Amino acid sequence: MDLLVGHTQGKSNSQFEFYPYRYFAAEGFLPGFNFPRLPVRAFIPAGEGGEFISRPRSMALREFAPNNILYYEGSKFMVAKTKTPVGGIEGEYKRVSVCANCGYYHDGDFRDTCENCGAEIKPDIHGNVAKLTRVLPMETAIARRRERITCDEEERLKYGYNITTHFRYASQKRESAIIQAADGTPLFKLTYGATATIWRINRGLKKNREERGFKLNPTTGVWGDNKNPQTQQTPDSLHTEVNLMVDDTCNILVVEPLNVPVEDREAFIATLQYVLETAIQAVYKLEANELDSERLGEGKYLLFWEAAEGGAGVLSQLLEKPEAFRKIADAALDICHFKEAKDSCIQACYECLLSYRNQFDHALINRHIIKPWLDVLLESNVITQVKGLSRDEQYQKLLEQTDPNSNFERVVLQEIYLRGYKLPDAAQELIPEAKCKPDFIYREEAIAVFCDGSVHDSPDKRRQDQIERDNLRYETGYNIITLRHNEDWRAKLVILGSL
Ligand SMILES: [Zn+2]
Ligand SMILES: [Zn+2]
């Protein structure tokens, strides 16, 4: 009770880290949207009863991670447990597939291809698994006092955690544009997503990469000791490969650089990331903590997000105003001392592109390799709003619309795509007159394609399908093409070749 109302140690409510309204919102008793974005809490058994401390979610993913050491009022504590829900931990796990190429996030049934870029879902170049079965959204952590930390433990923690970042657009909330040089060379593709979601997954200690995720006792919520399981619990009672996850909602901008120079590719992309970040901050007068960025997947995509509460509303303007990137290039040339030379700055300095936050990239950042690119951006860029969708984009859109439970649909779509046939106009679109949802439709040609996977095998289902499709033909005049998974559907597909 004292903890809830904040009466401990005579502190008033406002100074108290444990904010009762936030607590009620976190537990679902009050709607959360009126309060500052909900942080993650950790319980520290200090003094009488204990104290809750809280951290913003992305920070909590490291600080409150299993077995991490917390320093609190001069004592050492170790994160020992996670709060377990009444229904048990099993129901909390999410199955997640992430794209190694672009970082896109999918949950639910595992996918074979990325909804965003169409790439195959497979482990990334660092060996991070793409399909995860035990991803646990982060809950309140519980710490216990640990006076002695062994050198071994310190050593393992020193390298930190292996954290990957992923994102997903909210449906119907994305816009794309391409920035071109004067000669028409595309420079980069922009995709803006309002109220998109960013996920971060903590996949375990960096030091023991070969051992993926964390170990968790599903009954007690106690994190297993990665190093020495015997001393804690019998290993078979532990869940292994448990990954921790936090999410945030914000406006994002995904930048896909095109025609990147082959030489110094990594340095070029890293420099581009910080040049764009610093220049956007300068042009739109944002604080450093209002706009943040990261390289995604295998470094081919840059993710920018408005980190401030509610968003700064800047990223959406970049697509709308054709002159936006000319201004950004101009500011970037100024920031990188190309307008007024600074001889003491060799590759980059703290006055231009370096900051404490990007220290891990300092060796890569080099203002000189980005100069020619900035000149092009300054002189001649034109924004072409992408009005109609390109073939690839249409393919991605259709992949997204397919029924997540039907892999056969995606196999058929991929075949259509690979053969270079005309792509359908829509997938899973309801035709109201017939109360029917064909898997794919071609509107102009009035063709409806049905892809029958194994769930359509039973005689009952087949009869029902037949009635539905006859009805569609009768009501709308659509031609019906039925492809069954266990027949030679590839031969049948030739019909679409003449569209
Ligand atoms: Zn992808
Ligand atoms: Zn400098």
Side-chain angles (χ1 to χ4, degrees), residues 235-259:
D236 57 347
S237 70
L238 294 177
H239 280 176
T240 55
E241 296 190 30
V242 177
N243 299 274
L244 271 179
M245 178 169 79
V246 290
D247 66 282
D248 261 316
T249 305
C250 38
N251 299 332
I252 62 169
L253 184 75
V254 177
V255 174
E256 187 186 342
L258 306 164
N259 299 307

Side-chain angles (χ1 to χ4, degrees), residues 335 337 342 345 348-353 367:
I335 292 166
H337 328 290
K342 182 184 170 190
C345 175
C349 68
Y350 276 89
E351 220 176 281
C352 54
L353 299 173
R367 63 192 175 102

Side-chain angles (χ1 to χ4, degrees), residues 202 223 239-240 256 258 296 315 349 362 377 395 478 495 498:
N202 185 337
W223 293 108
H239 280 176
T240 55
E256 187 186 342
L258 306 164
L296 281 184
L315 295 177
C349 68
H362 282 188
L377 190 65
Y395 176 55
Y478 263 87
I495 312 172
S498 58

Side-chain angles (χ1 to χ4, degrees), residues 3 15-16 28 75 85 90 113 124 137 141 160 174 215 226 282 290 329 351 355 370 395 405-406 421 427 480 498:
L3 268 174
Q15 296 170 306
F16 200 56
S75 303
E90 198 73 49
T113 49
D124 69 14
R174 73 160 98 167
K215 293 196 176 84
N226 270 328
E290 287 180 294
E351 220 176 281
S355 71
I370 205 84
Y395 176 55
N405 298 313
S406 167
Y421 290 174
I480 313 289
S498 58

Side-chain angles (χ1 to χ4, degrees), residues 5 43 56 69 76 107 109 176 178 198 204 209 254 266 302 320 346 380 453 460 472 478 485:
V5 294
F43 180 75
I69 314 286
K76 286 179 196 166
D107 62 15
D109 286 331
S176 299
I178 289 186
I198 298 182
R209 276 224 176 181
V254 177
E266 203 189 350
L302 302 175
E320 284 155 16
I346 311 297
S380 48
D460 274 356
L472 175 68
Y478 263 87
H485 72 105

Side-chain angles (χ1 to χ4, degrees), residues 205-466:
L205 282 166
K206 265 194 190 154
K207 184 74 180 166
N208 25 342
R209 276 224 176 181
E210 67 285 358
E211 192 176 306
R212 294 175 180 133
F214 301 100
K215 293 196 176 84
L216 176 65
N217 181 321
T219 330
T220 58
V222 172
W223 293 108
D225 185 342
N226 270 328
K227 195 193 84 203
N228 200 356
Q230 304 92 297
T231 59
Q232 298 263 320
Q233 296 106 350
T234 47
D236 57 347
S237 70
L238 294 177
H239 280 176
T240 55
E241 296 190 30
V242 177
N243 299 274
L244 271 179
M245 178 169 79
V246 290
D247 66 282
D248 261 316
T249 305
C250 38
N251 299 332
I252 62 169
L253 184 75
V254 177
V255 174
E256 187 186 342
L258 306 164
N259 299 307
V260 175
V262 188
E263 219 175 298
D264 294 330
R265 194 191 156 86
E266 203 189 350
F268 180 89
I269 303 247
T271 308
L272 176 64
Q273 175 192 348
Y274 297 114
V275 159
L276 287 179
E277 186 183 304
T278 346
I280 293 170
Q281 284 166 352
V283 171
Y284 293 94
K285 301 189 171 49
L286 296 176
E287 300 288 331
N289 59 5
E290 287 180 294
L291 180 77
D292 221 328
S293 67
E294 203 169 310
R295 300 194 291 284
L296 281 184
E298 288 165 1
K300 287 180 211 141
Y301 292 77
L302 302 175
L303 175 72
F304 293 84
W305 68 94
E306 293 180 344
E309 203 79 36
V314 161
L315 295 177
S316 60
Q317 294 183 33
L318 298 181
L319 272 81
E320 284 155 16
K321 298 194 177 146
E323 75 284 3
F325 276 93
R326 277 175 240 148
K327 276 192 192 153
I328 288 166
D330 187 59
L333 286 165
D334 192 22
I335 292 166
C336 295
H337 328 290
F338 291 118
K339 292 194 172 178
E340 219 171 294
K342 182 184 170 190
D343 295 335
S344 60
C345 175
I346 311 297
Q347 289 203 157
C349 68
Y350 276 89
E351 220 176 281
C352 54
L353 299 173
L354 304 188
S355 71
Y356 170 71
R357 287 141 64 95
N358 64 22
Q359 57 178 319
F360 294 108
D361 288 325
H362 282 188
L364 289 172
I365 302 171
N366 180 352
R367 63 192 175 102
H368 297 287
I369 56 176
I370 205 84
K371 166 88 165 49
W373 191 90
L374 287 174
D375 287 335
V376 174
L377 190 65
L378 178 71
E379 289 295 314
S380 48
N381 68 324
V382 191
I383 292 190
T384 41
Q385 290 277 352
V386 181
K387 293 252 166 54
L389 294 179
S390 70
R391 181 174 169 82
D392 281 356
E393 285 168 329
Q394 174 71 1
Y395 176 55
Q396 282 160 33
K397 193 185 96 186
L398 289 166
L399 276 175
E400 244 172 80
Q401 291 172 342
T402 55
D403 178 355
N405 298 313
S406 167
N407 201 40
F408 183 51
E409 268 173 51
R410 284 184 292 278
V411 172
V412 171
L413 182 63
Q414 193 184 22
E415 186 72 23
I416 296 174
Y417 174 75
L418 292 176
R419 287 193 191 182
Y421 290 174
K422 181 172 175 182
L423 290 171
D425 295 308
Q428 295 292 332
E429 189 174 273
L430 179 75
I431 300 186
E433 304 95 295
K435 295 194 182 60
C436 172
K437 255 189 200 174
D439 294 324
F440 300 109
I441 54 169
Y442 291 87
R443 289 203 190 88
E444 216 177 294
E445 299 84 357
I447 290 175
V449 181
F450 291 88
C451 308
D452 292 351
S454 52
V455 291
H456 294 263
D457 283 349
S458 77
D460 274 356
K461 183 73 182 146
R462 292 189 73 156
R463 215 168 304 127
Q464 194 193 327
D465 285 344
Q466 193 60 48

